[in-house]
Amino acid sequence: MSNRWFNKVKTAVRWTQNRVRKKWLCPICNYYGPFRDSHTDPGSLVRYAECPSCGCQPRHRLEKLVLNHLEQSHDFSKMRLLHFAPEPFFRPYIQNHFKQYATDPEDLIHK
């Protein structure tokens, strides 16, 4: 019984906090709402850094915005892309937009 009550209170507090927090749009998953704060290094805090829906960080969102911009002037369907340190949430987008996608240079050389 007390666990159930605690969960209801926790949900109400979160809902109240989210109403007053800044809201952002994630260009990767299209989530709109408050982002989580993130601890990148011990003792450091980055406000509004992590998308609670897909877990991406600011660098990932910037990468997606750059790809969106470049796609307007380049035909990705004719290009090959070598992706270093690939993030899992980018894989479907890149595979669907580029002619060839690889995370290992050998894959591009031998094909």
Side-chain angles (χ1 to χ4, degrees):
M1 180 87 167
S2 66
N3 228 6
R4 191 173 179 184
W5 179 83
F6 177 75
N7 286 337
K8 285 185 178 187
V9 169
K10 190 167 75 172
T11 301
V13 168
R14 229 183 247 139
W15 182 81
T16 304
Q17 287 175 333
N18 286 344
R19 284 190 62 207
V20 297
R21 292 193 73 177
K22 290 183 180 181
K23 293 179 173 57
W24 309 92
L25 174 65
C26 177
I28 294 173
C29 69
N30 291 320
Y31 164 82
Y32 178 74
F35 281 19
R36 285 184 242 169
D37 297 339
S38 179
H39 297 277
T40 54
D41 295 317
S44 73
L45 175 71
V46 179
R47 305 272 305 161
Y48 316 114
E50 184 179 322
C51 173
S53 176
C54 67
C56 72
Q57 298 290 322
R59 67 182 178 275
H60 306 128
R61 292 189 291 278
L62 178 61
E63 185 177 348
K64 178 66 165 72
L65 292 172
V66 168
L67 284 171
N68 289 348
H69 180 75
L70 289 173
E71 191 174 22
Q72 295 173 10
S73 58
H74 296 79
D75 185 4
F76 288 167
S77 67
K78 297 178 182 174
M79 296 180 167
R80 300 182 304 166
L81 181 95
L82 176 59
H83 193 184
F84 291 96
E87 299 85 358
F89 44 79
F90 272 127
R91 185 176 298 271
Y93 172 83
I94 293 172
Q95 286 177 328
N96 290 330
H97 286 78
F98 284 82
K99 176 182 178 181
Q100 188 179 358
Y101 170 64
T103 57
D104 182 349
E106 292 292 319
D107 292 341
L108 289 178
I109 294 170
H110 298 294
K111 287 188 178 180

